[in-house]
Amino acid sequence: MKDAIIIDNYIGGQWKPPANRERLESINPANKREVMGYVANSTDFELNEAVYAAETARLLWRKKTGAERGQLLVRTAELLESRLDEIGETMCREMGKTFAEARGETARGAAILRYYAGEGMRKIGDVIPSSDAEAFLFTTRVPLGVIGVISPWNFPVAIPIWKMAPALIYGNTVVWKPAVETAVTAAAVMQCFHDAGFPLGAVNMIVGSGAVVGNGMANHPGIHGITFTGSNSVGKQVGQAALARGAKYQLEMGGKNPIIIAGDADLDLAVDAVISGGLRSTGQKCTATSRVIVERSIYELFKTKLLEKVATLKVGNGMDPSVWLGPCANEKQLETVLRYIQKGKEEGAVLLYGGTQPEDSDLSDGFYITPAVFDRVESRMSIAQEEIFGPVLALIEARDFEDAITLANDTSYGLSASIYTKNIGNVLSFVQNMEAGLIRVNAETAGVELQAPFGGMKQSSSHSREQGQAAIEFFTSVKTVFIKP
Ligand SMILES: NC(=O)C1=CN([C@@H]2O[C@H](COP(=O)(O)OP(=O)(O)OC[C@H]3O[C@@H](n4cnc5c(N)ncnc54)[C@H](O)[C@@H]3O)[C@@H](O)[C@H]2O)C=CC1
Ligand SMILES: O=C(O)CCC(=O)C(=O)O
């Protein structure tokens, strides 16, 4: 067990304790007795200080060239890369995903920073023919100002970086509120920005509860744009607060992602995709597979193959290299998963495998759950409609391919979806009819590429897109310029 560390706020280029000296605990979900950090329980006081620092910094920051801003992002990427093991271990111990996944996510953070460093050198406008022969008409883009970033615990490095890197490269300054559950990992990321030498106040971090700091950010008149990833209920509150005061907002929220296994699919590959997409990170991805829609002709065979493989997955502490599935990230999440497993049984689905807390005494202090496979799930059931955010797979039988598409769309969410088939007609029908922002053919439902737009349809997002060049739409305003001699 390592010693717990103190996590302060980062404001105007300095680490500062909260004025009230209050702390919250961030604990290791693999062993709830291990406190990872005593993290700031900040209030509006620190939030105001950070917004002021960001506001003061923005006038200088926006005057730097894209190349100058990009150099700082590259330096941050280098620092993150030089600390992959350290940050990967902190993440694994603080939120439970395996060390390999945590290290991979940290490397992804570095790749995102490099990508956006390059954005500093790309075009930010268009020349448009004017109706006046003497005039020059063009568009340019300007930063929004101060950006509030509210991030969750499930991707504590990648998500904040894919929000902060584009915010910064396009000339905005940032106030970031990470999830308390992963504030120790967040501080390690923030330290990379600090060590890279960003101007004082360009990036700030305030640690505290969502109800106080997160809500305070959504309502703060000094925050010009707010980008959020998390639950639907909170996302909607953030969006409404921002709308009410005329600020720009971007919300990435839940998913209930389907994978369709068509009658002609390669079943071994499909099983691997369901396991990887549904159970990696203990199912705690908004892109995780949760509904497995299988055509009747191969349903029983697919089920047998899936169960065989699921039974081989080792549950345990993610720092053990032989472990495939770490604990749920926190106690509330474990309780949510257990509640849905109970509800699934009550509503008539058949629990074929898992869904229990392991009996192994070594695991008794962690938030562990064995991966669950439900059979005979019907689309109306809660486990087929509501986001669980855990290692729970719901098998749904489809009469035929058309029925599979109808079932796949039978949800209020529309984040990601995938299909396994060899039939080009099935592929085209899926591409045309699937209501989701990210659709993948012969691949798992998770697997976001940093250079491509990412976001959902229906209730999954505010209909905006993050990542890739799509990020410029949120983090800048278009200015149309007409010049006449
Ligand atoms: N889309 C995604 O990637 C995520 C989805 N979720 C979903 O949300 C469920 C609950 O997880 P939570 O961690 O409780 O999500 P959450 O939505 O409460 O937390 C996400 C972020 O919002 C902040 N927040 C909380 N209340 C706030 C408020 N009133 N105003 C502004 N910010 C606030 C949190 O501190 C955190 O930084 C999960 O079971 C899962 O279904 C959770 C995390 C990520
Ligand atoms: O699948 C991914 O890599 C991204 C998932 C995500 O954005 C999320 O869970 O919030």
Side-chain angles (χ1 to χ4, degrees), residues 400-464:
D400 51 27
F401 185 73
E402 217 171 293
D403 188 37
I405 296 266
T406 306
L407 288 165
N409 280 329
D410 184 18
T411 165
S412 58
Y413 292 106
L415 189 54
S416 69
S418 81
I419 185 171
Y420 266 77
T421 183
K422 296 187 195 109
N423 179 314
I424 186 76
N426 287 349
V427 171
L428 288 174
S429 167
F430 179 72
V431 170
Q432 277 164 2
N433 298 314
M434 190 65 229
E435 296 160 357
L438 173 66
I439 61 173
R440 293 167 50 89
V441 176
N442 294 323
E444 64 179 74
T445 58
V448 169
E449 300 217 25
L450 62 96
Q451 70 280 23
F454 171 58
M457 295 183 182
K458 294 152 98 175
Q459 299 287 318
S460 289
S461 87
S462 53
H463 309 283
S464 42

Side-chain angles (χ1 to χ4, degrees), residues 16 27 69 73 84 143 155 212 231 251 257 262 292 307 325 327 362 387 423 447 456:
K16 289 185 176 178
I27 59 169
R69 293 195 286 257
L73 292 186
L84 280 189
F155 283 89
V212 176
S231 63
L251 315 171
N257 312 301
V292 185
L307 287 174
L325 199 78
D362 285 353
E387 184 175 55
N423 179 314

Side-chain angles (χ1 to χ4, degrees), residues 150-155 159 177-181 208-218 226 228-235 237-238 252-255 284-287 330 332-333 336 387-389 413 415 460:
I150 303 180
S151 60
W153 41 262
N154 63 332
F155 283 89
I159 290 180
K177 193 213 89 64
V180 164
E181 294 88 340
S209 75
V212 176
V213 181
N215 186 46
M217 278 171 72
I226 189 144
F228 168 91
T229 298
S231 63
N232 276 59
S233 55
V234 172
Q237 285 173 42
V238 167
E252 286 307 331
M253 302 175 288
Q284 300 165 126
K285 296 184 187 180
C286 58
T287 48
N330 53 64
K332 183 175 127 192
Q333 208 50 50
T336 302
E387 184 175 55
I388 302 175
F389 230 55
Y413 292 106
L415 189 54
S460 289

